[in-house]
Structure formats: C-alpha cells, structure tokens
Amino acid sequence: MSAQIPSVLKIGWAAADITPSRPVNLQGQFHMRISQGVRDPLTATALAVEGGGAVVFLSVDGGFFPAAVIDGIRAAVKGQIPTLDPMSIIINATHTHTAPMLEDGMYPPVPAGVMTGKAYANFLVERVAQAIVKAWRDRATGRAAWALGHAVVGRNRRAVYFDDLSQRPGYKAHPGHCTTRNAAMYGRTDDPMFSHIEGYEDHSVDLLYTWDERDELTGIIVNLACPSQETEGLSVISADFWHDTRVAIRRQLGEKLFILPQCSAAGDQSPHPLWYQAAEKRMLDLRGIDSRAEIARRISRTVAEVLPLAQKERSGQLILKHTSRLAKLPRRMITDAEAAMLREGIAALEKRPASSDPDPDKRLRADSVRVTELARCRLALRRYEAQKKNPEFAARINTVRLGNIAFAAVPFELFLDYGIRIKARSPAIQTFLVQLADACPGWDGNYLPTARAAKGESYSANCYCNSVGPQGGQALVETLLQDLQQAWAG
C-alpha cells in the first residue's frame, strides 16, 4: 500500500450575511412564531481547503437543511466553479431555533407580508453559494494547526424517573409530539420520582486554526457538543449564543477573524441545566451578564487560551483526504401497534376544533400546533408504509482527514454516546463530529437516539422523531470508523 504524502495547503475563507429583510416564520417549535425584528444577524461561513484533495466546510446559522436546499447550494456552486466537486462541500447547521423555516407545509400558510420558507430558501441558496465561491477563489497558501480546549456549554437534557410517566394519574397522550415511558426531555428534577440524568456530557472544544502566508490568524473552526439554543423560544431572528461567541472571540483575537461553528453529536444535549438552575442564575446575576454572554465567555476563553499552544505546531503541508458516500442504515421500524396509535392520533387531531381564543396570538399558536402534530403523525405513518418495501435508510456521511485530525459529518441529531464511541475508537488524535450536516430527515425523524433513550421514550426518542434507531446508530458508528481507518491506511 502506497504511503500518503502531505501536500501544500491552500486555504480560503468567506462569510455571508443571511439575515432576511422581512418577517419570517421561525423554525424549531411546534407553534408558529412570526419574527418580530432581528436581535442579531445570521451568518454563513465557508472554509475552503485544498491540498492533494479538496473540501469546503460551510456552517450556517439555521435549524436543519431539507434536501432541496442542499441540492440547490451544490448546483449553484457547480454552475460557477465547474471544476469543484459539489460533493466536496460539507454543509452543517448550528441548529438555532430562531432562524427562518426553509420549507413550507409543516405550519399553516404564513400571513401576508411574511416571507415564505421557499422564498427564504432561495435567498439562502444564493447567498451561501456566493460565500463558497469566494472562499474557493480566494484560497492561498496557508498553514493550519489544531488544539483541544474545554468549556461547559452542553448539558444532557433528558431526565429519568423511577416510574412510568404514562401511568401517572392525569397523563394525557400527545399525538404527533411524543410517546412517554420513564424519561422526559427537560423533565423536572424536583419530582419525588426523579432518578438521574440519562446520559453523559462532553465539554471538549475541538479547534482548528488557520494562518495566511504572513502568519496572521485568519479563521477558526470551533466544534462543541451543543446546539445553539440558549434563547430558543424568542420570536426574533437570532444566531443565539454563536453571535455572542463570535463577538467575544473577535474582541480578543481580531475583528476580521472568520469563525466557523460546528455542532458535535448533541441530540440529547442543550445549554439548559436541569438542576441547580437557581445557583446558576445567582452566579450570572453576580457577574452581571446573561446566559448567552456566559457561554460566549467560556468558549472564547478556551479559544484564546490554547491558541499559543496550537501555534507551536502549525503546518503548511498536511495530508488531506475526503470521503463522501451514502450509508444504508437499518430503519427504526414502526410496529403495528404504533401504526394503530398513529391512525388514532390522526383521527383525534382531525376532529379537534379550531381555537376560539379571542387573543389572535394564542389562537394562531393553538391552531399551528395542531397542524404540526397532524403532519408529524402522517409522516410517521408514511414511514410505516415505506419500511415494508425498504427496511433501510440512506444517509449521506462525510469523513475528512486533515493531518492527524479527522472530521465525521452526519445528517442526524446524533445522541452524544455515538459521538463518544467514534472519538474513542478513531485513529485521529482529535475527531470533530459534525451533526445536522447535509440533507437530514427534518420533521420526519431527525433524532438518532441511544438504546437507553429509546427505552425511556419521550421527545427525541420515539416513532415520531426517529427515522433511524439504536441499531442503525451503531451501524453508522462502524461505517464512519471504517472510512476513517481507510483514510489512515498506508
């Protein structure tokens, strides 16, 4: 087997403002939220790296990407740079819940004057394609180095109880939303039957720094296991804590610095602690800052702290190898009993009358929740029918070797345990997991839960939320590791 030889690196960066100029329907909740202004801008950031092979990383302040948007971005880039393989573009979302919808149909039609999901998607495709093209055309000889830092940001958000919550007096089923056993996302920890937090947390921050020919720092990939959802329930356009983090890093290291965020495996993580909330709030009050500023302080501190260490080993010649392929994974099979439950849920939701609340905002909220839940029931029932003909789910996965580090990108909201398995067994010294990369199932089963989560159910681990289950999750782990091993062979 031939040895792999490092190549001279060419690096290019670019960014685009993707903030809409009109009100939009925000993605991420079961009810419609028409934006009421802009709290902070949305950004798309592109990093092009060439050296033997080529790869373009694109990070977007958004929820997730429908296939049509991914295809549109690649086609737009291909039209301007025919020599760049469109499959070399790895696109990920930061998973903020305060960015626009990219499709229509999951909610009622938007009011007059509000930008539709399709209209925003067209705007986004044009803007991010311009950023990718600029990053590619601006690439020049540069150097790169990596480092590992730590910052407490993501927390496991699933509480587990001694009893079955569905058997408690007064329990009500939630068709289209979730089924319940002994776990609950954002469950109360002051409950007398609270047992424990379901899973692990990963506070590592994987960092890739780049420099130009003059040895000036040009950009940073910041990869950590937490979606951008600290102020996720607001009705304003916002990049959430990544905006505050960009501001904090640039204040320390340079206002022109490019910052490309990546959300690592974090399907069961969020920035919200389930216990010690009062203690956390007290410390914020004593500091005189809010929770987003605190997250930004933690991330920017570690980014700046380990930079001098990374500089010691920066290199302009590294092995670069990218693999992109469709992995066929076992589906999360919907049982006959669950299919019967889905039909019952559809019937109940279809009979539910429209809201008569005199408050128009409350009326819109109630009616939009019904539309969303009904759509999710129908999507799950459609999967039940599809699994009879095809028990596999095709997911595009990407692996990249850059020197002694690796990137592994998947389209799911991947529970943390899978990310840890990959990191622990990877041949790379550091492995940057990237979730919600490429086209993902979206409303039709984004989450990929662990076996213990599937047993406890609740939101994120049930038939409404999972196109792929624990069996497919482990198959995904093994496939990614196989590709990474191949990248290190020779």
Side-chain angles (χ1 to χ4, degrees), residues 189-240:
T189 55
D190 59 354
D191 188 297
M193 296 301 286
F194 168 68
S195 171
H196 58 277
I197 303 298
E198 185 178 82
Y200 189 53
E201 298 169 357
D202 180 8
H203 302 309
S204 59
V205 181
D206 289 296
L207 298 160
L208 177 69
Y209 303 88
T210 67
W211 293 264
D212 62 17
E213 293 172 301
R214 299 182 299 277
D215 273 343
E216 293 184 0
L217 186 67
T218 52
I220 312 170
I221 289 181
V222 185
N223 179 295
L224 53 85
C226 187
S228 188
Q229 295 173 8
E230 177 56 36
T231 49
E232 60 181 316
L234 299 180
S235 293
V236 292
I237 293 166
S238 173
D240 208 279

Side-chain angles (χ1 to χ4, degrees), residues 119-195:
Y120 179 73
N122 292 337
F123 166 81
L124 176 80
V125 166
E126 181 181 358
R127 287 289 180 93
V128 302
Q130 290 172 358
I132 293 170
V133 170
K134 187 175 190 320
W136 182 256
R137 290 177 175 167
D138 285 358
R139 67 197 190 285
T141 304
R143 295 201 282 175
W146 46 87
L148 175 65
H150 294 87
V152 178
V153 182
R155 318 288 187 95
N156 189 283
R157 57 182 173 176
R158 289 175 54 90
V160 180
Y161 302 87
F162 291 114
D163 62 330
D164 185 333
L165 300 176
S166 69
Q167 299 304 309
R168 290 187 179 184
Y171 171 79
K172 293 182 180 180
H174 300 280
H177 187 274
C178 69
T179 57
T180 303
R181 289 292 179 265
N182 72 320
M185 181 183 282
Y186 297 127
R188 291 179 55 179
T189 55
D190 59 354
D191 188 297
M193 296 301 286
F194 168 68
S195 171

Side-chain angles (χ1 to χ4, degrees), residues 67 242 258 279 320 329 337 339 355 361 372 375 387 407 416 421 424 442:
W242 277 117
F258 292 97
L320 174 61
L329 308 173
S355 173
D361 292 335
T372 303
Q387 73 189 22
F407 294 82
L416 180 67
R421 292 175 201 173

Side-chain angles (χ1 to χ4, degrees), residues 4 35 44 53 196 242 278 295 304 349 396 405 434:
Q4 300 187 52
S35 63
H196 58 277
W242 277 117
I295 290 171
L349 289 166
R396 180 157 296 280
I405 65 170
V434 189

